[in-house]
Amino acid sequence: MTRTRLPAAFQNWFARQGWTPHPHQLALLEARDAPATLLIAPTGGGKTLAGFLPTLVDLSGGAGPGMHTLYVSPLKALANDIARNLRHPADALGLKIRIEDRTGDTGQAQRKRQRVDPPHILLTTPESLALLLSYPEAPQIFAGLKRIVLDEIHALAESKRGDQLMLALSRLATLAPDAARVGLSATVEDPPALADFMAPGPPEGAGACRIIHADPGPAPDIAILDTAHPPPWSGMGGRYAVHEVMDAIAAARTTLVFINTRAQAELFFQALWQVNDANLPIGLHHGSLSRDARARVEAAMVAGDLRAVVCTGSLDLGIDWGNVDLVIQVGAPKNVKRLVQRIGRANHRYNAPSRALLVPANRFEVIECRAALDAVAARDLDGERRADGPLDVLCQHILLSACAAPFDADALFGEVRSAGPYRRLPRADYDRCLDYCATGGYALRAYDRWQRLMQRPDGLWQLRDPRRASMLRMNAGTIVDTETLKVRLRGGPGLGEVEESFVASLTPGDTFLIGGQVVRYDTLKEMTVMVSRSPSREPRIAVFQGTKLACSTRLSERYLELVNDAAARHRLPAHTRDWLDLQEDISALPAHDRLLVETFTRKNRSYLCLYGFAGKNAMQTLGLLLTRRMESLNLAPVGFVSNDYALLIWGLTEVADPAELLASGPLKQGWQDWLGENAVMKRTFRTVATIGGLLERNLPGQRKSGRQATFSSDILYDTLRRFDPDHLMMEITRREAMHGLVSFERIDEMLARTDGRIDHRRAPHVTPMAAPLLLEVGKVPIKGLAQDDALEEEAAQMMAEAGLDAP
Amino acid sequence: MTAYEFSLSGTSMQARADGTLWLPEARALCVADLHFGKSERMARRGGSLLPPYDSTETLIRLADAVRACNPATVYCLGDSFDDDAAGLALPPDIEDGLTGLMAGREWVWIAGNHDPAPIALGGSHRDRATVGPVTLRHIADPSETGPELSGHYHPKHGVATRAGRQVRRCFLISGARAILPAFGCYTGGLSCTKAPLDALLKPGAVAVMLGRRAVPVPLDRALA
């Protein structure tokens, strides 16, 4: 019956490709008049074609002038590829339509033309869409829009880019009220939440968004990789398994090797090549490599020239590669949903099961991998609840709205509340954002004469200085780069980028890995890191940052369930079972509703080990908070180390009563004080203030001149903290710290679930579960004025070497 | 002692950890690039609406330094105000605070590129000043042969240490010349080893970096 909706020309085209339309493709065509539809399909299910089929069918009936369909994707490259791939059916079906992309890479002339004469199908990113909407011509550009396709909407919904996109769509809903929305998503844990996020609608009773589930296909075939040696006690790299991984690559056609951080990817790639006796073509792909290097690997993958790629989350999205038949995840997945999405990258032939192998990097991770496998089998996906739309993104939206045209505050408020993430936005918050945009929002009303937005006699808000619009547009977007510097080989090509903070830790002569080669840091020249090839095989410093995921709440829960379920424990390898049995004999096993705290003495130091299972960010924050509190109780902490599961603190005095230390009242007070001074807060503030338009972005070319006049965001943070601590930007920064990197939310959650039920075990010596932490890298020393000490020490030495007297 | 003592052609001086320079014999306190009114000027010209507390913060720091030294004379080495209009439009509390600091001592405003015209506050206004053999001006004059104090460049310097790279505002002492760090709250910095500051470096040049103490660091190696 549904087939009748597919015009004959299309049926023929499908037949000529040797394809049969998938039921979900037809279902989407069927639903083409619905205001919003969300399609959930595994990779390889022809999602993109499903999203465009209604458009192509519509346009085959004759294309009028103006934009018909807007396509938004998180990746510029994807917008590019889709433009090319759509051309094929459009030409074959004889459609006379213009398909163009518009991203940060689109030339000035083409952009200008697109504003005057938009193509039938425009492919773009959330940032470029927000910009397009900030032009006075926006109402004309989008006047006749019929359809909006949101690709990889699950990925967009995970960041502020999704909030920005939904605000842009709320504007579009006013300009083109009839445009239907289609969201395309990979498997997610809570489809209704995602549907609610993308649905248009008034605040009460969100607009209905239909959900179409594609056939998820056969269950994946996944297992933990068998290795000759058990995984080491600690460490993250998984290099112990390199031979077995090599064998698995050799046995498969094409393999994606996912690894959690860029530094680990570099190290693992190097280790693989050391055992790659057959010289199989294996590539490397991560976000710190230069765009050229990444493009080369992607092209080689498309051409089928590679047998494997070692990659990070950089390949979580993007064009499907049909020839991938194995996914190997090195290191625990940390998050079941992401694991499922990654596994889906293998075998894109729709009806074949995906094949995947997990490689736990240490003993703790053996259990996490087992728990994750169980979760995948039970289709029990995790996911943190999405926070309400952030206010810094709203501030940017208000400012960009003013760039397009004067606006009415009430009307804009109504529009904003029709966006999923902002449906519960209180008017008071909106008014605060508007006031911030207009006056700066300071307790000291200093800018009444120089307001950014002014209210006209007719009540509309407009830019005080219309010339300001171009500056505001340049600031658009919610991606705030960590300051990165280019890395260039002396007299050679660019290799990639590393964080400025990483460069700050280097001294000339230090060696590190990038792009699979060991390089030596020579000098910093005009904001470029100059390096030379190093003959050494072992880099001295391996770590440059890149995001590390914290183990999700749900997976942590499953971890604890598994440990406490005697029957389930039999499915763990023998070495790990023995480890847990020993732990139970000497101390106890951590449980979900109790907090296990061990104390023991070793080499004249007192240790405290706390099994909080709150994820690495929260456990690190807890370490900082507890050691702070220990200082005030004269317990002389010396340092600590943490991972996703536990926190180990050492000091000079034994903690007799851990319950007192963990009392939530003082802990929360300490949190307030500590939070203010924390470097993570300053970093969060920088992002918030940039998105909110308080700080202007460093634009290319601007960095070289006027250095005297540019000062760091830390100065603004310190000033606000002292004189105006309740300022909107400070408030937003604190809200973000609750989840994000500081993750106090999960400490709260841990305290709530254990509710004072603390099992204090005084062990005779280091316990089996605490032992790996002693070996863990990333120990945090408790420092007072360590930086000043180090500076004075270094300076005195330099003065002495130079033969100069220091006083 | 948190200051760094040195002498320029026989005149002894102290580079203080707060970024001011003290001439003990003349009981003179020198400070450069206060940039009062910077946030107001940026807003007026249509830039960001920055937290409008920079002038208050700068005033508090300046008052601390004046209280600590009790100088007979204060020399402000130019760019004291972010522009002439900022000088005229100072909020009353900042003006009152400055007037209070000026009471009972001599106060010399040296003109800078940001604030060339005399402002309405008290004190005397000069293009340059002399203290004994030392000439005080806003921008270092490369043809000057005698001892000289100046500001303008906002020098900063970075050193790699055990605790990571430390970048601080600094005094730049080179030959008979010393350049003061910017004192104002919202001020950035220019690296001592980059153009145009590197042209002023002579053998034996020292950067005195600000921290809990004023810490001298040789610049010869950084320059090589």
Side-chain angles (χ1 to χ4, degrees):
Chain A
M1 169 198 82
T2 48
R3 300 213 71 165
T4 55
R5 299 287 305 257
L6 192 65
F10 285 76
Q11 293 186 30
N12 294 337
W13 179 75
F14 268 98
R16 277 202 305 277
Q17 312 301 312
W19 296 347
T20 315
H22 290 302
H24 61 263
Q25 290 173 329
L26 296 171
L28 221 58
L29 185 60
E30 181 95 324
R32 66 176 166 182
D33 295 326
T37 317
L38 172 62
L39 170 65
I40 298 197
T43 19
K47 254 196 310 238
T48 319
L49 183 57
F52 278 107
L53 206 49
T55 297
L56 295 176
V57 169
D58 234 21
L59 287 172
S60 67
M67 194 189 299
H68 180 282
T69 294
L70 174 72
Y71 164 93
V72 187
S73 112
L75 300 175
K76 279 190 241 180
L78 207 49
N80 249 300
D81 286 331
I82 301 281
R84 226 174 316 120
N85 293 353
L86 260 187
R87 206 58 270 174
H88 177 61
D91 288 347
L93 289 159
L95 304 185
K96 302 255 174 305
I97 53 172
R98 269 168 58 212
I99 303 171
E100 290 173 14
D101 61 339
R102 180 189 181 92
T103 66
D105 299 338
T106 308
Q108 196 64 36
Q110 172 146 355
R111 285 196 212 198
K112 233 177 198 153
R113 193 175 48 72
Q114 285 171 344
R115 273 167 31 212
V116 182
D117 179 20
H120 297 101
I121 299 178
L122 183 73
L123 307 125
T124 189
T125 58
E127 292 71 28
S128 288
L129 175 60
L131 273 180
L132 204 48
L133 283 165
S134 78
Y135 287 99
E137 308 89 298
Q140 292 81 354
I141 300 173
F142 295 105
L145 188 69
K146 304 284 189 308
R147 305 192 61 81
I148 303 166
V149 180
L150 310 168
D151 204 356
E152 311 269 18
I153 182 84
H154 63 284
L156 283 169
E158 277 175 13
S159 72
K160 289 184 179 179
R161 302 178 75 199
D163 299 295
Q164 182 184 37
L165 175 60
M166 290 308 137
L167 286 173
L169 293 194
S170 74
R171 187 88 262 275
L172 268 182
T174 304
L175 301 180
D178 296 332
R181 297 180 189 179
V182 176
L184 309 176
S185 166
T187 318
V188 287
E189 79 286 3
D190 188 357
L194 188 58
D196 183 59
F197 168 80
M198 63 160 276
E204 357 8 83
C209 173
R210 229 185 109 189
I211 303 172
I212 294 175
H213 288 273
D215 177 359
D221 165 15
I222 59 176
I224 294 179
L225 180 72
D226 267 329
T227 53
H229 304 285
W233 292 108
S234 73
M236 304 297 292
R239 275 184 288 174
Y240 76 97
V242 72
H243 286 282
E244 287 86 353
V245 169
M246 198 67 220
D247 292 346
I249 290 172
R253 199 171 48 215
T254 310
T255 306
L256 287 182
V257 182
F258 281 102
I259 193 154
N260 289 335
T261 73
R262 296 169 189 182
Q264 286 160 16
E266 288 277 357
L267 290 169
F268 197 81
F269 177 71
Q270 201 197 27
L272 264 183
W273 269 97
Q274 280 168 17
V275 299
N276 186 5
D277 301 328
N279 268 318
L280 298 181
I282 297 176
L284 176 66
H285 192 286
H286 62 70
S288 288
L289 294 178
S290 67
R291 198 195 292 192
D292 285 350
R294 275 180 284 164
R296 271 198 304 276
V297 170
E298 287 162 24
M301 267 311 262
V302 171
D305 293 341
L306 292 180
R307 292 292 298 279
V309 179
V310 177
C311 61
T312 61
S314 61
L315 286 187
D316 274 338
L317 299 175
I319 284 289
D320 295 352
W321 292 318
N323 48 352
V324 173
D325 58 345
L326 177 65
V327 164
I328 299 179
Q329 162 74 38
V330 177
K334 302 294 158 203
N335 176 314
V336 180
K337 179 171 59 172
R338 195 171 307 256
L339 175 63
V340 167
Q341 290 166 1
R342 280 185 178 170
I343 292 171
R345 303 287 277 161
N347 221 332
H348 281 154
R349 276 174 307 128
Y350 193 50
N351 283 318
S354 303
R355 227 159 54 76
L357 289 168
L358 301 189
V359 183
N362 59 49
R363 289 305 161 91
F364 277 107
E365 289 194 354
V366 173
I367 303 172
E368 188 183 322
C369 284
R370 185 69 248 172
L373 282 188
D374 294 348
V376 173
R379 302 204 178 202
D380 176 15
L381 302 191
D382 46 8
E384 311 297 330
R385 197 184 65 80
R386 198 175 197 287
D388 282 337
L391 299 183
D392 50 347
V393 179
L394 176 58
C395 291
Q396 187 181 101
H397 181 70
I398 294 174
L399 287 169
L400 288 178
S401 298
C403 292
F407 65 86
D408 175 76
D410 294 339
L412 183 60
F413 178 61
E415 223 175 73
V416 166
R417 292 244 292 180
S418 73
Y422 294 90
R423 254 180 218 123
R424 284 180 297 271
L425 177 74
R427 176 72 194 217
D429 280 7
Y430 171 79
D431 286 340
R432 249 185 114 183
C433 290
L434 180 58
D435 177 53
Y436 160 81
C437 291
T439 71
Y442 299 105
L444 178 68
R445 310 298 294 188
Y447 296 130
D448 288 349
R449 289 175 65 198
W450 316 121
Q451 288 190 197
R452 199 152 37 173
L453 303 182
M454 309 216 324
Q455 201 167 14
R456 309 194 305 197
D458 64 0
L460 298 188
W461 290 87
Q462 69 170 30
L463 290 178
R464 177 176 64 85
D465 179 358
R467 286 168 304 181
R468 202 57 206 143
S470 62
M471 198 64 214
L472 287 169
R473 286 194 191 105
M474 279 191 242
N475 249 8
T478 59
I479 305 173
V480 178
D481 288 339
T482 43
E483 300 277 337
T484 56
L485 300 175
K486 288 201 160 41
V487 179
R488 182 170 288 281
L489 202 57
R490 238 171 226 284
L495 297 176
E497 292 186 342
V498 292
E499 281 92 353
E500 206 166 333
S501 58
F502 172 69
V503 178
S505 72
L506 294 175
T507 8
D510 281 348
T511 51
F512 62 98
L513 261 175
I514 186 164
Q517 54 182 314
V518 180
V519 294
R520 176 187 181 280
Y521 169 59
D522 293 331
T523 168
L524 188 64
K525 199 169 160 191
E526 291 295 317
M527 310 312 279
T528 301
V529 183
M530 302 302 293
V531 298
S532 47
R533 281 212 174 80
S534 164
S536 67
R537 292 232 311 217
E538 286 296 312
R540 225 181 81 194
I541 297 173
V543 187
F544 47 93
Q545 285 294 306
T547 39
K548 287 183 198 154
L549 288 171
C551 186
S552 74
T553 310
R554 184 72 193 110
L555 191 51
S556 300
E557 275 169 20
R558 277 189 163 269
Y559 192 115
L560 288 170
E561 281 163 21
L562 176 59
V563 165
N564 286 284
D565 181 344
R569 258 158 64 187
H570 282 293
R571 285 183 290 132
L572 292 170
H575 52 72
T576 303
R577 272 199 320 266
D578 295 346
W579 178 50
L580 291 178
D581 290 345
L582 201 58
Q583 167 73 16
E584 201 167 15
D585 285 350
I586 292 172
S587 171
L589 289 172
H592 184 254
D593 56 348
R594 312 186 66 84
L595 189 55
L596 173 63
V597 181
E598 296 168 345
T599 51
F600 55 87
T601 308
R602 186 172 177 270
K603 289 190 183 165
N604 291 331
R605 275 179 172 175
S606 294
Y607 285 82
L608 178 144
C609 192
L610 183 151
Y611 299 87
F613 284 83
K616 60 175 280 293
N617 294 333
M619 294 307 285
Q620 163 130 350
T621 299
L622 188 64
L624 291 163
L625 286 178
L626 285 185
T627 47
R628 220 184 125 97
R629 187 148 157 68
M630 284 170 73
E631 290 228 301
S632 68
L633 294 170
N634 286 324
L635 291 168
V638 173
F640 76 88
V641 68
S642 56
N643 61 17
D644 272 313
Y645 326 104
L647 162 69
L648 183 71
I649 302 176
W650 50 95
L652 305 181
T653 314
E654 192 194 344
V655 178
D657 184 8
E660 187 201 356
L661 195 63
L662 286 160
S664 80
L667 204 60
K668 272 194 182 141
Q669 188 48 52
W671 144 260
Q672 291 296 347
D673 300 340
W674 167 79
L675 196 54
E677 308 154 7
N678 191 280
V680 174
M681 286 296 279
K682 292 189 178 177
R683 209 180 329 153
T684 308
F685 173 79
R686 184 172 160 271
T687 307
V688 165
T690 306
I691 294 172
L694 180 60
L695 280 174
E696 276 161 9
R697 283 171 198 265
N698 279 328
L699 299 165
Q702 212 180 290
R703 243 173 146 182
K704 280 184 192 152
S705 60
R707 276 212 199 102
Q708 267 158 296
T710 58
F711 47 93
S712 84
S713 64
D714 291 1
I715 292 178
L716 294 185
Y717 177 84
D718 289 337
T719 306
L720 279 175
R721 196 167 159 245
R722 177 158 183 193
F723 294 101
D724 207 341
D726 297 327
H727 186 259
L728 180 63
M729 291 296 131
M730 297 297 271
E731 170 79 30
I732 301 172
T733 305
R734 279 190 292 268
R735 279 191 205 180
E736 297 212 344
M738 289 306 283
H739 29 277
L741 284 171
V742 180
S743 212
F744 194 72
E745 222 168 34
R746 286 190 68 181
I747 297 180
D748 240 6
E749 203 173 72
M750 176 199 87
L751 293 174
R753 87 174 125 85
T754 54
D755 194 26
R757 290 179 293 270
I758 294 173
D759 290 331
H760 180 198
R761 296 299 156 103
R762 299 186 60 179
H765 50 76
V766 56
T767 64
M769 277 187 112
L773 282 144
L774 283 172
L775 308 170
E776 192 82 58
V777 291
K779 296 191 172 76
V780 180
I782 304 307
K783 58 187 173 198
L785 288 161
Q787 275 123 339
D788 271 313
D789 282 344
L791 173 60
E792 285 165 23
E793 165 193 303
E794 194 69 35
Q797 205 179 330
M798 288 165 78
M799 288 298 274
E801 276 173 33
L804 298 168
D805 286 334
Chain B
M1 191 60 192
T2 59
Y4 171 71
E5 293 185 30
F6 65 104
S7 68
L8 286 189
S9 304
T11 304
S12 63
M13 311 186 170
Q14 293 173 10
R16 292 165 45 85
D18 62 6
T20 61
L21 186 126
W22 176 238
L23 301 168
E25 286 138 59
R27 299 193 49 72
L29 184 71
C30 303
V31 59
D33 299 281
L34 294 162
H35 286 273
F36 276 117
K38 174 150 184 164
S39 56
E40 192 264 354
R41 171 166 172 258
M42 288 189 72
R44 179 165 17 103
R45 302 174 120 213
S48 292
L49 302 179
L50 295 178
Y53 308 104
D54 52 324
S55 298
T56 309
E57 173 68 23
T58 303
L59 181 65
I60 290 171
R61 290 187 204 164
L62 184 59
D64 286 346
V66 167
R67 200 176 308 116
C69 299
N70 191 23
T73 312
V74 173
Y75 291 94
C76 300
L77 304 187
D79 287 2
S80 306
F81 303 93
D82 212 50
D83 64 0
D84 286 329
L88 293 170
L90 278 190
D93 55 325
I94 303 293
E95 202 172 318
D96 291 351
L98 271 175
T99 309
L101 288 184
M102 291 162 79
R105 56 180 55 91
E106 204 186 334
W107 199 284
V108 180
W109 302 106
I110 289 173
N113 53 317
H114 279 258
D115 55 351
I119 46 120
L121 283 167
S124 49
H125 302 273
R126 315 258 179 82
D127 278 342
R128 57 196 176 95
T130 50
V131 178
V134 186
T135 303
L136 283 57
R137 55 167 60 95
H138 180 54
I139 304 179
D141 179 354
S143 64
E144 175 69 62
T145 49
E148 178 197 65
L149 294 175
S150 62
H152 181 64
Y153 290 111
H154 303 194
K156 69 171 182 187
H157 187 55
V159 170
T161 77
R162 273 197 307 149
R165 189 174 170 81
Q166 305 294 313
V167 179
R168 307 283 176 91
R169 292 184 294 145
C170 69
F171 292 85
L172 171 56
I173 304 170
S174 176
R177 167 180 293 130
I179 300 176
L180 274 63
F183 191 83
C185 174
Y186 291 171
T187 49
L190 206 61
S191 177
C192 284
T193 51
K194 299 246 166 73
L197 272 177
D198 60 344
L200 297 171
L201 294 185
K202 300 210 162 105
V206 167
V208 180
M209 298 169 67
L210 306 187
R212 76 182 160 192
R213 299 200 186 103
V215 185
V217 171
L219 287 169
D220 292 349
R221 193 157 71 176
L223 197 60

